[in-house]
DNA sequence: TTTTGTTTTTGAACAGTGTTCATTTATTTT
DNA sequence: AAAATAAATGAACACTGTTCAAAAACAAAA
């Protein structure tokens, strides 16, 4: 008797359709301008149905931002081939920045917007699994660097946060348009140039 | 006949009262949850009046964020007493981070929220004067550092952007709650610790 | 003082928002 | 075929930013 299984499949299918519609609209118009009614229109259901699949709007965008972390993490996959941890750290930075510049809206959702984090706070899961995983990945690499003699006199946790902050700062000032009005000339190259300066500094440590 | 003068004064006064009310509500509930009707209620006028003093909601929050830049810049005033540019640069970083941590909502408005920048884009002023001024201040200090022999092999503009990015990253990940869920322990000290790591690095350059 | 002209202020209206929930429709089980 | 369960609806609630004809308040002229 496969009826409950089929029902389960159908539920999952509709959930996925909601998410796909939400993603389409979100990439078109951003989080704020994507309304529940817009999503409902696109999947040709009534607005109410969405609340049978998601607690609220935040949960939808939390689910979307998970997809972003999958994308980012899969890009990080190539790093296994970089054996020296210092080179790997720099390659990580490059991938991180590249991802952000190529998917600014997704990056914004993952690391700037409050919606997904609000959902983590309001649900009973005590932790932001996605972010935690990515941060650990960075910390492990930095740990290896320290083991190889780099970053002497530095504390691993604080240094990891600093390095994350640096790349996040580079891309988030750009995404939130704080540099296009300050460095109007070279606004298209400044993030890359800043990252290169950062690598120069890392090489000295 | 001072009637037009008095009228001018009264207009300016009401404008100021709108701004004060907006600031009160904004610091209480944030930008999104502060509505035009809330502001109107607080000053005991009808909602429509606000549109005789401001083009739209963004202009109100742009005006508010200007106040934040005044605050920040006046804090930077003490830096004139720091003669060595490298020490001055570090002191700037400390003041910047301190300002952000003590006024997270104002910092958010100044450097993260899109509202004030949207207003700059939509008005005819081609530039974000407030940000430009602060950035120049930073760049001038870094220029002096270079003149004294620091930061060899670095390009001034890109390096300035990198340093700004670093401190911005440190505080903005915290303000947007990306570190309290990743580094739940020591979430209250991580920004300070990260900044200290940064200073350690700067000392080596 | 009354009338005319100007400026300031109002508040209803528009088109939207997230969210809830009694009611209806569809499907499955008895 | 009837009863029970699950899925889906759409009206309603309390909001939002913004506009604009109409009203009220005030100043100048008669």
């Amino acid at each position: 008797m496969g009826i409950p299984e089929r029902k389960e499949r159908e539920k999952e299918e509709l959930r996925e359709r909601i998410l796909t519609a939400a993603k389409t609209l979100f990439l078109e118009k951003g989080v704020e301008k994507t309304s529940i009614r817009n999503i409902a229109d696109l999947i040709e259901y009534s607005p109410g149905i969405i609340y049978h699949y998601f607690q609220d709007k935040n949960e939808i965008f939390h689910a979307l931002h998970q997809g972003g972390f999958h994308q980012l993490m899969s890009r990080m996959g190539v790093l296994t081939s970089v054996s020296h941890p210092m080179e790997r750290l720099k390659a990580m930075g490059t991938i991180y920045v590249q991802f952000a510049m190529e998917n600014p809206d997704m990056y914004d959702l993952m690391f700037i917007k409050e919606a997904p984090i609000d959902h983590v706070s309001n649900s009973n899961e005590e932790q932001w699994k996605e972010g935690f995983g990515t941060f650990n990945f960075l910390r492990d690499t930095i740990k290896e660097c320290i083991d190889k003699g780099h970053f002497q006199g530095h504390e691993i946790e604080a240094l990891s946060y600093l390095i994350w902050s640096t790349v996040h700062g580079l891309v988030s000032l750009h995404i939130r348009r704080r540099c296009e009005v300050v460095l109007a000339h070279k606004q298209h190259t400044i993030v890359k140039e800043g990252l290169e300066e950062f690598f120069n500094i890392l090489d000295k440590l």
Side-chain angles (χ1 to χ4, degrees), chain A:
Chain A
M1 198 166 311
I3 288 168
E5 284 85 350
R6 195 209 63 208
K7 288 223 145 180
E8 195 53 47
R9 268 205 322 277
E10 283 177 358
K11 273 211 95 166
E12 190 49 44
E13 217 177 282
L14 185 47
R15 202 191 130 94
E16 223 52 56
R17 290 183 57 205
I18 292 170
L19 246 31
T20 314
K23 189 172 181 181
T24 307
L25 291 169
F26 153 66
L27 291 176
E28 241 170 46
K29 332 193 283 176
V31 172
E32 281 77 20
K33 291 194 170 173
T34 296
S35 74
I36 299 294
R37 283 172 184 81
N38 291 161
I39 299 171
D41 279 358
L42 202 56
I43 59 170
E44 293 173 295
Y45 274 79
S46 77
I49 198 68
I50 289 169
Y51 290 88
H52 288 96
Y53 293 81
F54 297 93
Q55 216 179 34
D56 55 24
K57 204 183 163 183
N58 282 345
E59 191 178 349
I60 300 176
F61 286 98
H62 174 84
L64 279 190
H65 111 302
Q66 284 182 315
F69 275 95
H70 275 125
Q71 274 184 255
L72 176 57
M73 275 313 222
S74 88
R75 284 202 188 196
M76 295 281 181
V78 303
L79 294 176
T80 50
S81 68
V82 186
S83 55
H84 198 291
M86 202 64 190
E87 288 306 310
R88 192 157 71 249
L89 178 63
K90 287 193 278 179
M92 263 183 86
T94 305
I95 291 173
Y96 188 95
V97 169
Q98 223 162 60
F99 174 82
M101 299 302 278
E102 286 169 19
N103 310 281
D105 298 294
M106 189 52 93
Y107 185 90
D108 193 306
L109 187 63
M110 291 159 73
F111 295 105
I112 309 180
K113 285 249 147 67
E114 40 243 319
I117 289 292
D118 280 352
H119 177 259
V120 173
S121 299
N122 297 340
S123 75
N124 22 22
E125 292 140 55
E126 254 308 296
Q127 235 190 7
W128 185 40
K129 293 195 307 283
E130 298 78 21
F132 195 68
T134 327
F135 182 75
N136 275 343
F137 191 53
L138 171 67
R139 185 172 46 186
D140 291 347
T141 303
I142 290 170
K143 172 109 183 51
E144 280 188 62
C145 289
I146 291 171
D147 291 344
K148 289 242 166 168
H150 294 96
F151 302 130
Q152 281 192 21
H154 288 279
E155 201 275 310
I156 182 164
E157 208 116 61
L159 180 64
S160 302
Y161 183 61
L162 173 67
I163 290 175
W164 179 23
S165 293
T166 306
V167 285
H168 171 71
L170 284 171
V171 297
S172 65
L173 283 174
H174 183 266
I175 290 174
R176 289 304 242 244
R177 289 152 58 213
R178 275 1 188 239
C179 73
E180 78 183 41
V181 273
V182 159
L183 293 148
H185 64 295
K186 69 159 89 177
Q187 58 160 295
H188 293 294
T189 53
I190 193 67
V191 175
K192 202 175 176 353
E193 283 176 38
L195 186 64
E196 276 157 19
E197 294 289 327
F198 184 46
F199 288 165
N200 274 348
I201 291 172
L202 284 182
D203 282 332
K204 293 177 191 166
L205 300 176

